[in-house]
Every structure is written in C-alpha cells, then in structure tokens.
Amino acid sequence: MMSKLSEESLKYIIARLVENANEAVEESDRDRNDLFNQGRRLAYYEMLDILKSELDARDADLKELGLDFDVDKIA
C-alpha cells in the first residue's frame, strides 16, 4: 500500500518539474529546428498545465506550490 504524499514532497516534485520545463524551453529556443526539444517543451507544457488545472480545481494554493505562473509561456 502506498502512503500519502507529504506537502513538502509535492513541492519538491513540482519544483523539479518546473526546473526541467525551464531547461526544455531554453534548449528548444536555442534550436527551433530540433523536433525532439520542441516535443520535450510541449510535453512539459502539457504536464504542468494539467497539474496546475487539477490543483486549482481542488483549491490548492498554487503560489505555495510554486505554480503561480502562466504555463502558456512554456508552450
């Protein structure tokens, strides 16, 4: 049986995902013709968009979780 995820663990996971998404944006901006990096950027956008929407629907504090930014800037 899996134990519940602590809030600190959730914050850590989200911070890692946001950091990786920012790296994907930087890499895709360096070479707009690299389809792999463009796809990676889109995948992080999709993941963060879903995560942010689901947490917002559950009245989570997006600022406290590190998701208080416009994810459309990643797309």
Side-chain angles (χ1 to χ4, degrees), residues 39-71:
R40 184 170 174 248
R41 178 182 186 152
L42 180 59
Y44 274 107
Y45 161 76
E46 292 286 341
M47 179 269 317
L48 288 173
D49 184 54
I50 291 168
L51 184 59
K52 185 175 180 177
S53 295
E54 292 296 327
L55 289 169
D56 190 39
R58 289 162 176 76
D59 294 323
D61 186 344
L62 298 178
K63 184 174 184 174
E64 187 174 321
L65 294 171
L67 287 170
D68 59 329
F69 62 91
D70 183 7
V71 296

Side-chain angles (χ1 to χ4, degrees), residues 11-67:
K11 287 179 186 178
Y12 174 75
I13 292 167
I14 290 170
R16 287 198 59 209
L17 293 171
V18 170
E19 182 179 339
N20 287 352
N22 288 328
E23 288 174 8
V25 168
E26 289 174 14
E27 289 174 10
S28 69
D29 282 346
R30 278 196 291 265
D31 185 359
R32 294 268 184 199
N33 295 319
D34 186 326
L35 295 179
F36 174 79
N37 284 329
Q38 294 299 322
R40 184 170 174 248
R41 178 182 186 152
L42 180 59
Y44 274 107
Y45 161 76
E46 292 286 341
M47 179 269 317
L48 288 173
D49 184 54
I50 291 168
L51 184 59
K52 185 175 180 177
S53 295
E54 292 296 327
L55 289 169
D56 190 39
R58 289 162 176 76
D59 294 323
D61 186 344
L62 298 178
K63 184 174 184 174
E64 187 174 321
L65 294 171
L67 287 170

